[in-house]
Amino acid sequence: MIHAVRREARVFFAFAAMVPKLYLAYNAWVVVEFVVQILFMLVFVAFWRAVYANTTTLGGLDVGQTINYILLAQIVAPLVQSRLVSEFGGMIREGRIAIELLRPVDFQARYAVESLTSLVVFAVQKLPLVLIAGAFLGLRLPSDPAAWGAFALSLVLGSMVLFLTDWMFACLAFYSTETWGLGVVKIAVATFFGGALVPLQMMPAWLRSIALALPFSQGVAVPISFLAGVTPVSDLGALLIRQLLWLVGLGIASRLVFRQAVRKITVQGG
Amino acid sequence: MRRYLSLYGVFFVQRLKILMEYRVNFLIGATSTSFLQIGGVLAMWVVMRQIPSLNGWSFDEVLLVFGLVTISESITHMFADNLWTLGWQYIRSGEFDRFLVRPIDPLFHLLADRFCHDGIGNLLVGTALVVKAMSALHIPFTVATALYLVIAVLTGGAIFIALNLLTASSAFWLVDSIPVTFLVYNTYEFAKYPLTIYGRGIRIALTWLIPYGFASFYPASYLLGRNVGALAWMGPLVAVLFMSLAYRAWKFGLAHYTSTGS
């Protein structure tokens, strides 16, 4: 029993160890994405400053809270931009999926481990961005360690919610041979309803209820609101329970959906 | 010129046949990008319905800016998308050498090789936004405004293509040129809003350095009767200038092309 667990742990550790290497392999991309994110931040700061020239609060948020929120959203946004559907599409097209499914490791667990490790690499990678936003763009971070703790905890849970959602969506690759466009649609929906463009508080009631019925805000709006000074730490308990419910529900649903979808498999080549 | 036009027709028909082989895929690809723009417009609406104006620009006026740049972008996306893939799909694989031994211009061949349907969504959204904005703002749709719009959109498209060509030419040295193109291309995010919300430095950069301003802000200002002076008319000139600059970079790169071997 213990032997099996240790073996399992070793396998997953090996998968996890691959993740930073993957990121480091594309140096040019890291630099370019960094610069592009700063450019987008400049656009958003200019936009929101112009918005607040006419009003003091919007959706209950003042200009400082909103700028904090938008800058953090911009930094965290790449989390909702993963496209597992394209990855699945590639594996199916090339026939690699057959080998992946034959491996004596749980297919989904392996991706979950990779996704969690990515989050750590991601956090390290985005640290310079946070510092620059703090020094030049007016990002004001709280000094209260509890806010940081709440942020970290809900970000970890939220990123798992995003992963499971992405996993379910990726199962469409078993039905459609077009996955680039599907990935774009998913990013568009997740970015907006995750609250990466506008804080949920500012949305009219009908839009906000759609956003809350979808899982995306769990990985964007919920965690960053703790750091932006929008959500008080005292709300942590209730929000964590909601995240856990999402996790359990999506965990079960994603496995059911995958089991159903994988039967449809049509390998095109290889 | 006539020969190239008819050749483009031949390439286009072939490409269409390929696309029509998978109709659902065509539909998904063609509409997918519009979702990104709709998200952006929705966000703008959410904010602007709560404030009187953005730096003196009403919601519909901002939509005009947003719509114009979206149409301009769709032109590159449809007709010059292969500039993105030049490095990894043509140069790295050695397939680019095929273009060099054919009796047509290699740049023309590259662009004609793949009409990209993914840009259609942006074209539709952009057009819808411009029409909506113009009717809401009661801008009379005369022959003169129609002509001005066509020129503005073609100018914008040419600026997008020129900048992508300029950056894609780095593929002759770097092979993977996408990061460079990605960097410059994304600065068009600035041009989705009236340039007056930015500081002087960014405004000047968006006018003379990376002239996306001519793809949206300046023509929109002119149509709205806002005084931007000669800048309302300088777009085509700037586009020609950047196009010739980009074509030179392409020629220079082509002369230094050494193929990837094997």
Side-chain angles (χ1 to χ4, degrees):
Chain A
M1 176 64 195
I2 288 179
H3 186 75
V5 171
R6 270 177 58 187
R7 184 195 146 271
E8 200 86 329
R10 221 173 30 239
V11 170
F12 285 123
F13 185 77
F15 279 125
M18 285 295 294
V19 174
K21 289 182 196 163
L22 253 164
Y23 277 89
L24 287 172
Y26 300 98
N27 253 328
W29 268 115
V30 174
V31 175
V32 165
E33 271 172 6
F34 181 73
V35 178
V36 168
Q37 276 194 291
I38 291 177
L39 290 178
F40 273 61
M41 285 178 171
L42 285 173
V43 175
F44 288 139
V45 168
F47 173 75
W48 287 99
R49 289 217 181 281
V51 166
Y52 274 96
N54 290 315
T55 175
T56 45
T57 62
L58 210 58
L61 306 183
D62 63 30
V63 63
Q65 284 174 314
T66 305
I67 298 261
N68 277 346
Y69 179 94
I70 289 297
L71 288 172
L72 289 167
Q74 189 47 37
I75 295 170
V76 175
L79 286 180
V80 291
Q81 284 161 5
S82 68
R83 279 197 251 179
L84 211 49
V85 68
S86 299
E87 168 121 9
F88 275 22
M91 284 198 287
I92 292 167
R93 193 167 53 246
E94 293 166 17
R96 264 186 299 139
I97 186 100
I99 299 158
E100 297 293 338
L101 288 171
L102 276 176
R103 291 209 166 123
V105 187
D106 186 87
F107 189 51
Q108 190 186 27
R110 180 206 138 176
Y111 272 94
V113 168
E114 283 189 8
S115 166
L116 267 181
T117 330
S118 299
L119 185 66
V120 177
V121 178
F122 181 85
V124 174
Q125 214 181 37
K126 297 301 173 195
L127 205 61
L129 217 49
V130 176
L131 295 178
I132 287 181
F136 302 105
L137 297 168
L139 175 66
R140 294 281 165 272
L141 292 168
S143 50
D144 179 16
W148 284 90
F151 164 72
L153 208 57
S154 62
L155 185 67
V156 171
L157 291 182
S159 81
M160 276 293 100
V161 170
L162 292 179
F163 165 74
L164 292 172
T165 315
D166 208 20
W167 184 268
M168 274 176 48
F169 186 79
C171 288
L172 281 176
F174 291 108
Y175 298 90
S176 165
T177 47
E178 211 284 2
T179 51
W180 184 87
L182 286 178
V184 171
V185 173
K186 185 236 141 183
I187 289 177
V189 173
T191 305
F192 183 81
F193 287 111
L197 297 178
V198 206
L200 302 186
Q201 288 88 341
M202 294 181 192
M203 294 182 186
W206 62 275
L207 261 182
R208 191 170 40 208
S209 54
I210 299 176
L212 290 175
L214 291 169
F216 305 110
S217 63
Q218 302 298 323
V220 185
V222 171
I224 62 173
S225 292
F226 285 116
L227 268 198
V230 175
T231 311
V233 181
S234 54
D235 289 358
L236 180 66
L239 287 168
L240 281 188
I241 288 170
R242 194 175 301 171
Q243 282 188 315
L244 284 170
L245 287 176
W246 271 111
L247 270 183
V248 173
L250 286 170
I252 295 168
S254 68
R255 289 191 86 88
L256 286 177
V257 167
F258 184 81
R259 199 189 297 168
Q260 197 62 36
V262 80
R263 292 187 191 152
K264 280 278 168 196
I265 197 162
T266 320
V267 172
Q268 293 166 42
Chain B
M1 186 68 188
R2 284 219 1 229
R3 176 168 161 261
Y4 274 108
L5 273 178
S6 72
L7 264 176
Y8 195 90
V10 175
F11 274 108
F12 186 74
V13 168
Q14 284 305 323
R15 175 73 184 147
L16 224 55
K17 283 184 197 160
I18 297 173
L19 288 173
M20 285 307 134
E21 215 31 56
Y22 297 94
R23 274 165 210 267
V24 178
N25 291 10
F26 173 80
L27 270 179
I28 298 174
T31 49
S32 63
T33 48
S34 60
F35 281 83
L36 285 174
Q37 308 307 338
I38 292 170
V41 173
L42 210 54
M44 186 93 73
W45 172 76
V46 164
V47 177
M48 291 209 57
R49 79 196 174 96
Q50 300 178 60
I51 55 170
S53 80
L54 183 73
N55 211 297
W57 289 64
S58 72
F59 177 58
D60 288 310
E61 291 178 317
V62 178
L63 279 194
L64 186 63
V65 175
F66 198 105
L68 283 175
V69 82
T70 307
I71 301 178
S72 299
E73 196 279 340
S74 78
I75 293 175
T76 7
H77 208 142
M78 289 188 291
F79 299 106
D81 201 56
N82 255 358
L83 291 175
W84 286 92
T85 53
L86 170 68
W88 64 270
Q89 202 156 39
Y90 291 90
I91 290 184
R92 196 168 59 192
S93 68
E95 215 183 316
F96 188 70
D97 298 8
R98 198 163 56 92
F99 293 175
L100 297 177
V101 294
R102 294 202 168 162
I104 49 172
D105 185 78
L107 179 59
F108 170 81
H109 198 335
L110 177 74
L111 297 186
D113 216 34
R114 193 169 63 95
F115 165 83
C116 186
H117 59 295
D118 301 329
I120 296 174
N122 276 358
L123 177 66
L124 295 179
V125 172
T127 311
L129 291 179
V130 169
V131 170
K132 196 261 169 194
M134 284 185 60
S135 64
L137 293 165
H138 306 293
I139 299 174
F141 197 77
T142 60
V143 179
T145 41
L147 209 63
Y148 185 85
L149 268 177
V150 169
I151 292 173
V153 162
L154 290 179
T155 296
I159 288 170
F160 267 94
I161 294 177
L163 289 172
N164 276 9
L165 178 61
L166 197 67
T167 48
S169 297
S170 67
F172 290 116
W173 294 276
L174 301 172
V175 180
D176 187 11
S177 58
I178 295 183
V180 186
T181 307
F182 183 81
L183 178 62
V184 174
Y185 166 84
N186 269 298
T187 53
Y188 102 84
E189 184 74 18
F190 285 99
K192 288 180 177 174
Y193 308 91
L195 292 189
T196 48
I197 66 170
Y198 306 112
R200 239 174 80 90
I202 292 178
R203 270 205 319 266
I204 291 172
L206 266 280
T207 310
W208 302 115
L209 199 63
I210 310 172
Y212 284 131
F214 292 105
S216 63
F217 173 69
Y218 293 117
S221 299
Y222 174 77
L223 287 171
L224 295 169
R226 287 163 186 266
N227 188 16
V228 284
L231 291 172
W233 297 99
M234 277 182 72
L237 205 71
V238 173
V240 168
L241 197 78
F242 271 76
M243 209 54 137
S244 66
L245 195 73
Y247 190 66
R248 275 180 181 208
W250 163 267
K251 278 291 196 196
F252 185 72
L254 201 58
H256 289 75
Y257 175 58
T258 50
S259 192
T260 44
S262 76

